[in-house]
């Protein structure tokens, strides 16, 4: 939680200002919204807090994806969205399912009709039937730690706090409905959230888990550490670095778990069996213990490997449990505290006793960019993207060959990387870029997105332009759903080819009427220099010119449409296609 959040707080609280106070205590400065008739009073109350910024998105699905990106990039790994009743809730549900898959703390607040509508049984709009007013509440139960509705002003604070505490303690999304007539009702002054979290503490089994892990570790001769994607919700890079130094063994990262400096001498590369680097895969398989930290074993994480056949040599440390050989499970652990205890336990340092293969790290597969009219090639594009990655950059890869393009890049120190591998929702990347750029504004977000994924959520570019954000977007235009064509081709994999560069610069224009927005002095003035530029890249020379513009106009959103021949794809994508049923 943040430090002193008590300055300039009101003496009297209503439910809306109470929620705003809790948002601040969570370390959140921005919240994502779509307005609707059921949440307007609540939005008015949230706007009264000058330390919070409202970010309006184009639709509810995109608010969820934006919150996902924000939660990944923000230090406290938390995000908040406010949406309308049921129509908004069911729209955002897909994005929250993705956040659930990676234990992101996303608080979804939905407006809903006044309490009289529920008490009197009145029919109301946005409901699938007159008798089904709880549709969203039920739908969210499967993907949240709490799905609740405030039913009175007297109980509002308790209901809200219970959900927020569950969100933080379990590191899972929650869903809260706030009736229109309660949003501005008076409620009690909030107690500090840290006190509420302390009271909710449960006994843990960290001591038992630590001993069990050390017993297995001590019996191993050739251990490796595997880092998975879920470490980012609980552990800092510094903590991971200390653990790596303590253990001394080779370190591999799952494709969505690149949370260690790639120049560290113990980093041996990515671990994506059947897809990347057979030498690295053999090194892991030749070890006698896999110590997994936040790892996952979906069909996309290991399409060519049956994880169950290796259970005898895997210790998997997860957010709230430890899985050990012989099907032993220790639940009720706290990952952050357990890892710190492991570091300080005097555990033996075990340098590599494996054959140190000359790992052919895929980041080496790049090519020089020539100042010529030769067609743009993927390998040259990798070099161009690599050159845009600076300290504090955030690299985001949407679903598709962009996943593997990211694997061909070496992450410089201070660069964060995010991909939504377990849920794999195409279209996540553009709104997630919006959220990540807002949360981590000291560097630029670099997005790799295919043309098919872009068409699903393209409109959120307008929010980036309106907010004058400056991410770098590489659109891989390979004329369709290339990841699907390698798995199972058919006419459904081919899409309309948009004029993407014209589209990117069309999202923000001068208004057709004066004073159309009485709440602002005006977004676009006469002669306004649009804070975005777009380039169509068809040749190597085009790429060089575009990259130069990225550097010289670094305060603008850079949109680069990379025209890639449909047959020019990574070998890893072909392997994925061959491995899927």
């Amino acid at each position: 939680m943040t430090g002193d959040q008590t300055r300039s707080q009101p003496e009297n609280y209503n439910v809306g200002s109470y929620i705003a106070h809790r948002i601040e205590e969570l370390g959140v400065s921005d919240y994502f919204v779509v307005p609707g008739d059921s949440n307007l009073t609540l939005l008015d109350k949230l706007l009264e807090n000058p330390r919070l910024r409202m970010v309006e998105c184009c639709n509810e699905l995109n608010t969820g994806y934006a919150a996902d990106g924000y939660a990944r990039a923000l230090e406290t790994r938390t995000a908040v969205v406010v949406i309308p009743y049921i129509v908004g809730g069911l729209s955002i549900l897909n994005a929250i399912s993705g956040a659930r898959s990676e234990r992101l703390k996303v608080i979804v607040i939905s407006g809903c009709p006044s309490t009289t509508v529920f008490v009197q049984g009145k029919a109301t709009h946005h409901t699938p039937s007159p008798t089904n007013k709880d549709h969203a509440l039920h739908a969210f139960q499967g993907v949240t730690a709490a799905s609740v509705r405030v039913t009175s002003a007297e109980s509002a604070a308790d209901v809200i706090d219970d959900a927020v505490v569950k969100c933080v303690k379990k590191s899972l999304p929650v869903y809260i409905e706030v009736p229109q007539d309660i949003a501005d009702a008076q409620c009690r002054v909030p107690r500090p959230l840290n006190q509420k979290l302390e009271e909710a503490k449960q006994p843990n089994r960290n001591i038992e888990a630590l001993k069990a892990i050390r017993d297995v570790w001590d019996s191993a001769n050739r251990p490796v550490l595997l880092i998975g994607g879920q470490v980012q919700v609980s552990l800092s890079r510094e903590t991971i670095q200390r653990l790596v130094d303590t253990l001394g063994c080779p370190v591999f990262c799952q494709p969505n778990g690149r949370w260690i400096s790639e120049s560290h001498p113990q980093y041996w590369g990515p671990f994506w069996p059947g897809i990347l680097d057979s030498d690295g895969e053999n090194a892991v398989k030749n070890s006698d213990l896999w110590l997994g930290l936040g790892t996952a074993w979906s069909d996309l994480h290991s399409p060519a490997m049956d994880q169950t056949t290796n259970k005898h040599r895997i210790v998997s440390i997860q957010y709230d449990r430890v899985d050990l050989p012989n099907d032993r499970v220790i639940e009720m652990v706290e990952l952050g505290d357990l890892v710190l205890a492991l570091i300080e336990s005097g555990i033996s340092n075990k340098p590599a006793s494996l054959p140190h293969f000359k790992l052919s790290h895929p980041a080496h597969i790049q090519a020089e960019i020539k100042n010529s009219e030769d067609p743009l090639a993927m390998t040259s594009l990798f070099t161009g993207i690599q050159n845009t990655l600076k300290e504090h950059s955030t690299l985001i890869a949407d679903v598709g060959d962009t996943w593997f393009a990211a694997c061909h890049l070496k992450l410089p120190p201070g660069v964060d990387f995010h991909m939504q591998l377990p849920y794999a929702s195409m279209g996540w990347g553009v709104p997630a870029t919006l959220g990540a750029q807002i949360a981590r504004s000291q560097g630029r977000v670099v997005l790799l997105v295919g043309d098919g994924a872009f068409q699903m959520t393209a409109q959120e570019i307008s929010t980036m332009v309106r907010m004058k954000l400056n991410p770098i977007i590489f659109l891989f235009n390979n004329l369709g759903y290339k990841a699907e064509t390698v798995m199972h081709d058919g006419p459904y994999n081919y899409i309309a080819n948009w004029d993407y560069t014209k589209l990117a610069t069309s999202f923000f224009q001068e208004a057709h009427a004066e004073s159309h927005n009485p709440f602002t002095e005006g977004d676009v003035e006469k002669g306004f220099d649009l804070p975005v530029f777009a380039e169509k890249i068809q040749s190597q020379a085009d790429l060089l010119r575009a990259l130069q513009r990225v550097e010289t106009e670094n305060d603008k959103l850079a949109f680069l449409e990379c025209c890639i021949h449909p047959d020019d794809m990574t070998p890893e994508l072909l392997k994925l296609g061959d491995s899927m049923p």
Side-chain angles (χ1 to χ4, degrees):
M1 301 305 100
T2 58
D4 180 16
Q5 295 285 1
T6 61
R7 63 192 187 283
S8 302
Q9 297 297 344
E11 294 182 4
N12 297 315
Y13 277 81
N14 56 57
V15 172
S17 61
Y18 191 98
I19 291 172
H21 181 74
R22 287 296 186 231
I23 292 173
E24 277 195 273
E25 287 184 295
L26 291 165
V28 172
S29 302
D30 312 271
Y31 56 100
F32 301 90
V33 311
V34 170
D37 62 330
S38 60
N39 66 17
L40 299 180
T41 301
L42 176 59
L43 294 179
D44 285 342
K45 296 305 167 185
L46 295 177
L47 282 170
E48 291 176 1
N49 188 316
R51 294 174 295 280
L52 299 178
R53 177 170 59 169
M54 177 184 294
V55 179
E56 292 184 57
C57 295
C58 297
N59 61 53
E60 294 89 352
L61 175 64
N62 288 356
T63 64
Y65 288 148
D68 180 306
Y70 188 92
R72 291 168 186 267
L74 193 70
E75 186 176 352
T76 61
R77 301 294 188 263
T78 309
V80 176
V81 298
V82 184
I83 43 109
Y85 176 58
I86 294 189
V87 289
L90 297 187
S91 179
I92 200 177
L93 183 61
N94 181 59
I96 302 306
S97 296
R100 167 63 180 85
S101 74
E102 301 193 63
R103 302 198 79 118
L104 299 176
K105 297 188 286 287
V106 179
I107 298 173
V108 182
I109 304 173
S110 173
C112 68
S114 296
T115 51
T116 55
V117 173
F118 298 103
V119 173
Q120 299 173 6
K122 292 181 180 178
T124 187
H125 60 291
H126 293 335
T127 58
S129 71
T131 58
N132 190 353
K133 298 183 177 65
D134 301 333
H135 195 41
L137 278 172
H138 295 155
F140 275 91
Q141 287 176 356
V143 297
T144 59
S147 180
V148 297
R149 176 183 296 146
V150 175
T151 58
S152 70
E154 293 74 22
S155 64
D158 288 334
V159 172
I160 292 164
D161 284 351
D162 181 65
V164 170
V165 167
K166 286 178 178 175
C167 175
V168 174
K169 298 297 289 184
K170 296 185 178 183
S171 193
L172 291 172
V174 295
Y175 174 80
I176 307 169
E177 286 189 356
V178 180
Q180 183 83 318
D181 59 330
I182 292 180
D184 59 354
Q186 294 298 298
C187 67
R188 70 166 186 254
V189 174
R191 291 171 52 206
L193 183 58
N194 282 334
Q195 290 183 13
K196 307 281 290 188
L197 293 170
E198 190 66 28
E199 291 169 0
K201 271 194 171 181
Q202 298 284 333
N204 64 62
R205 299 170 65 188
N206 280 6
I207 294 175
E208 178 186 352
L210 177 61
K211 182 182 184 305
I213 293 167
R214 288 199 56 177
D215 287 346
V216 178
W217 177 266
D218 289 343
S219 66
N221 296 311
R222 304 182 308 280
V224 297
L225 176 65
L226 299 178
I227 299 177
Q230 290 194 9
V231 298
Q232 298 183 26
V233 303
S234 302
L235 301 175
S236 66
R237 285 181 177 275
E238 291 73 23
T239 300
I240 293 291
Q241 172 96 7
R242 288 181 59 199
L243 178 65
V244 168
D245 293 340
T246 298
L247 298 179
C249 64
V251 180
F252 293 83
C253 294
Q254 290 191 305
N256 60 329
R258 297 166 72 176
W259 203 232
I260 180 179
S261 170
E262 296 187 353
S263 61
H264 194 287
Q266 288 169 239
Y267 176 65
W268 280 28
F271 181 62
W272 203 346
I275 302 297
L276 290 177
D277 189 8
S278 59
D279 286 341
E281 183 178 335
N282 289 333
V284 174
K285 290 182 176 179
N286 286 333
S287 68
D288 59 354
L289 173 64
W290 305 0
L291 181 58
L293 199 60
T295 50
W297 300 101
S298 71
D299 54 346
L300 288 176
H301 284 93
S302 50
M305 185 187 73
D306 181 5
Q307 181 259 346
T308 59
T309 63
N310 298 283
K311 289 180 69 173
H312 66 284
R313 55 177 168 178
I314 295 178
V315 172
S316 181
I317 307 175
Q318 300 298 332
Y319 181 80
D320 55 3
R321 59 183 280 162
V322 176
D323 295 324
L324 297 142
N326 301 317
D327 294 320
R328 184 183 178 190
V329 177
I330 301 176
E331 296 182 310
M332 295 178 63
V333 303
E334 295 183 359
L335 175 61
D337 290 343
L338 178 58
V339 170
L340 289 175
L342 193 62
I343 292 169
E344 296 166 1
S345 69
I347 191 170
S348 56
N349 184 281
K350 297 197 173 186
S353 58
L354 296 163
H356 197 314
F357 299 98
K358 278 198 169 182
L359 301 179
S360 54
H361 193 288
H364 296 159
I365 307 174
Q366 297 181 14
E368 179 186 359
I369 307 173
K370 300 176 181 178
N371 190 11
S372 73
E373 295 305 312
D374 291 348
L376 177 67
M378 286 279 273
T379 51
S380 299
L381 179 56
F382 298 158
T383 303
I385 298 168
Q386 183 75 66
N387 292 339
T388 66
L389 297 177
K390 315 290 185 186
E391 186 179 8
H392 302 306
S393 293
T394 300
L395 178 65
I396 289 179
D398 207 312
V399 178
D401 211 7
T402 45
W403 278 351
F404 308 111
C407 292
H408 286 266
L409 305 173
K410 183 174 182 180
L411 302 184
V415 174
D416 287 353
F417 173 60
H418 304 291
M419 60 189 289
Q420 197 196 53
L421 184 60
Y423 196 66
S425 187
M426 189 177 290
W428 160 86
V430 172
T433 293
L434 167 66
Q437 187 66 76
I438 292 171
R440 197 171 189 241
S441 58
Q442 69 268 42
R444 300 179 76 176
V445 176
V446 178
L447 169 65
L448 314 183
V449 60
D451 51 336
F454 179 78
Q455 288 195 12
M456 295 182 177
T457 52
Q459 64 270 57
E460 227 51 60
I461 297 290
S462 68
T463 308
M464 300 180 201
V465 175
R466 186 181 75 240
M467 297 184 68
K468 301 180 182 178
L469 303 179
N470 66 335
I472 305 165
I473 297 176
F474 288 90
L475 175 78
F476 285 51
N477 184 0
N478 51 18
L479 302 177
Y481 300 127
K482 192 52 58 182
E484 294 183 4
T485 63
V486 300
M487 298 178 192
H488 186 104
D489 205 1
Y492 30 74
N493 290 328
Y494 299 89
I495 59 177
N497 186 38
W498 294 0
D499 192 333
Y500 295 99
T501 53
K502 283 186 180 179
L503 179 69
T505 56
S506 71
F507 279 120
F508 211 43
Q509 297 294 317
E510 294 180 8
H512 64 274
E514 296 294 332
S515 301
H516 69 292
N517 184 352
F519 299 100
T520 182
E521 295 179 358
D523 295 318
V524 183
E525 301 172 357
K526 298 291 184 182
F528 179 74
D529 185 19
L530 199 65
V532 57
F533 72 82
E535 294 280 356
K536 186 183 293 288
I537 300 171
Q538 296 177 294
S539 69
Q540 308 262 329
D542 291 342
L543 179 59
L544 286 175
R545 286 192 293 269
L547 293 173
Q548 180 62 35
R549 196 171 179 188
V550 167
E551 291 292 327
T552 57
E553 300 181 47
N554 56 21
D555 59 333
K556 295 183 177 181
L557 188 157
F559 185 92
L560 310 182
E561 179 192 352
C562 305
C563 299
I564 299 166
H565 193 281
D567 293 334
D568 187 3
M569 64 188 83
T570 64
E572 293 82 16
L573 180 61
L574 294 172
K575 289 181 182 178
L576 179 66
D578 290 340
S579 69
M580 299 301 283

